[in-house]
Amino acid sequence: MATRNLSEYRADSVPDAQNMIFGIVVSEWNQEITGALLNGCVTTLEKHGALPENIHVKTVPGSFELIYGAHQMTLNDGYDAVIILGSVIRGETPHFDYICQGVTAGIARLNATSNIPVVYGLLTTDNLEQARDRSGGRLGNKGDECAVVAIKMAKF
């Protein structure tokens, strides 16, 4: 369980993002949650100076496809950082475990081999309530956190 609000951070510790270009790959699966993550992410990027025309959003059908989408964005030399946003909610089968492990390994591999950072914004929750809590609910919005991480890592 999250021990802090995902939307809380020191605004003065975030670099100016005015001259940065961001790629965001968002899963269509669990759209209620991923849409809220995307909204938080874009709002936070803009709050820190990112221009709307420098925020490029692409959708993929599900969370596993986030790896391919992020990889394609890393091949474009114009991005300063790529953010993946998805939500996997545990079900009755081991599908949850395979998807979560696969996406985590794929994004880790991209971070180790790409010239730009790929920020991990995959919610992995036991139920819809936990996902809502982390996509704008009582625990904040993971999309906000991903935006801040992307700005900081782009500046790195």
Side-chain angles (χ1 to χ4, degrees), residues 90-125:
R90 188 178 300 278
E92 298 176 0
T93 68
H95 179 75
F96 172 90
D97 297 315
Y98 298 126
I99 296 298
C100 295
Q101 289 172 7
V103 174
T104 301
I107 298 304
R109 186 177 64 254
L110 283 177
N111 269 305
T113 60
S114 298
N115 291 327
I116 61 171
V118 180
V119 177
Y120 183 87
L122 181 69
L123 288 182
T124 57
T125 59

Side-chain angles (χ1 to χ4, degrees), residues 3 5 18 30 38-39 49 59 87 96 98 118 127 136:
T3 57
N5 186 308
Q18 184 174 359
N30 292 325
L38 177 61
N39 184 55
T59 60
S87 173
F96 172 90
Y98 298 126
V118 180
N127 55 54

Side-chain angles (χ1 to χ4, degrees), residues 52-145:
E53 60 268 22
N54 289 341
I55 302 170
H56 304 170
V57 179
K58 298 284 187 180
T59 60
V60 294
S63 291
F64 196 77
E65 293 77 25
L66 290 166
I67 303 164
Y68 176 83
H71 181 245
Q72 292 306 305
M73 284 190 160
T74 65
L75 298 176
N76 178 338
D77 294 333
Y79 294 113
D80 294 293
V82 172
I83 302 164
I84 64 127
L85 299 172
S87 173
V88 183
I89 299 171
R90 188 178 300 278
E92 298 176 0
T93 68
H95 179 75
F96 172 90
D97 297 315
Y98 298 126
I99 296 298
C100 295
Q101 289 172 7
V103 174
T104 301
I107 298 304
R109 186 177 64 254
L110 283 177
N111 269 305
T113 60
S114 298
N115 291 327
I116 61 171
V118 180
V119 177
Y120 183 87
L122 181 69
L123 288 182
T124 57
T125 59
D126 288 327
N127 55 54
L128 183 58
E129 180 182 355
Q130 289 176 347
R132 287 179 175 148
D133 286 346
R134 290 158 177 80
S135 61
R138 68 181 183 86
L139 295 174
N141 191 320
K142 181 74 172 173
D144 296 341
E145 181 185 57

